[in-house]
């Protein structure tokens, strides 16, 4: 099970790397196609920012879900992502970087005070079956965001 310290540490890395990459890419690089089909690098950044805004409600949903239920069963992830990214279309790169810092900073504070029993509870969300909430959060949030950043950063000097 991922500990609070591991989760908050990973989210701190996500914030720092977003800031570093936000400063490093040129305007031309931000509008280039990303490895994710159909998205630009800026849209990937908008996706990362958007995920930060739904983490705390997602954890609450996992915690209150009846045992054996799949929170991802009735969710069209592609449609949800498209909506969240579109809602940020008018934001600048700097604003998206600031949103990442603010939203994930809020997640860090939430996790620091979350009861251990909450993070130890098991849940299922799509392919993440009967895992602890802490492990789902580590994989779906921290590692997912870092993977997106890595893909983008590995393409440019």
């Amino acid at each position: 099970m991922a500990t609070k310290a591991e989760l908050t540490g990973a989210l701190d890395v996500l914030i720092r790397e977003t800031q570093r990459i936000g400063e490093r890419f040129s305007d031309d690089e931000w509008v280039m196609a990303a490895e994710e089909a159909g998205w630009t690098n800026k849209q990937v950044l908008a996706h990362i920012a958007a995920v930060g805004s739904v983490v705390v409600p997602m954890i609450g949903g996992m915690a209150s879900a009846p045992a054996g239920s799949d929170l991802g069963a009735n969710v069209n992830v592609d449609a949800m992502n498209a909506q969240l990214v579109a809602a940020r279309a008018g934001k600048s790169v700097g604003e998206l970087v600031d949103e990442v810092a603010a939203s994930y900073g809020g997640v860090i504070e939430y996790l620091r005070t979350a009861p251990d029993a909450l993070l130890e509870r098991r849940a299922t969300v799509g392919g993440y079956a009967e895992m602890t909430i802490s492990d789902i959060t580590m994989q779906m949030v921290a590692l997912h965001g870092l993977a997106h950043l890595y893909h983008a950063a590995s393409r440019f000097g």
Side-chain angles (χ1 to χ4, degrees):
M1 181 183 109
T3 66
K4 285 182 187 183
E6 290 166 340
L7 282 170
T8 58
L11 294 173
D12 275 333
V13 170
L14 178 62
I15 292 168
R16 282 194 314 274
E17 289 306 308
T18 299
Q19 291 167 333
R20 188 181 337 270
I21 289 168
E23 295 170 357
R24 196 174 90 205
F25 282 11
S26 70
D27 291 341
D28 290 338
E29 289 168 331
W30 280 114
V31 298
M32 292 178 76
E35 286 187 10
E36 292 77 6
W39 277 358
T40 65
N41 287 315
K42 184 179 174 191
Q43 288 170 317
V44 170
L45 179 60
H47 168 65
I48 294 167
V51 168
S53 72
V54 299
V55 175
V56 173
M58 180 186 77
I59 291 172
M62 287 188 283
S64 63
S69 62
D70 179 355
L71 268 76
N74 296 318
V75 176
N76 182 330
V77 175
D78 292 335
M80 181 181 75
N81 283 332
Q83 181 181 22
L84 291 169
V85 169
R88 287 158 176 79
K91 289 191 174 191
S92 69
V93 169
E95 289 170 325
L96 293 170
V97 168
D98 289 345
E99 183 180 352
V100 167
S103 62
Y104 288 96
V107 174
I108 289 169
E109 289 309 310
Y110 172 80
L111 290 170
R112 285 189 177 134
T113 61
D116 290 337
L118 171 80
L119 298 176
E120 293 167 359
R121 181 171 160 74
R122 293 195 171 271
T124 297
V125 181
Y128 301 95
E130 286 300 308
M131 293 173 61
T132 63
I133 289 175
S134 68
D135 284 338
I136 293 171
T137 304
M138 179 64 85
Q139 292 182 28
M140 284 183 72
V141 179
L143 297 178
H144 176 88
L146 287 167
H148 279 306
L149 288 175
Y150 169 78
H151 286 146
S154 67
R155 296 178 62 214
F156 305 109

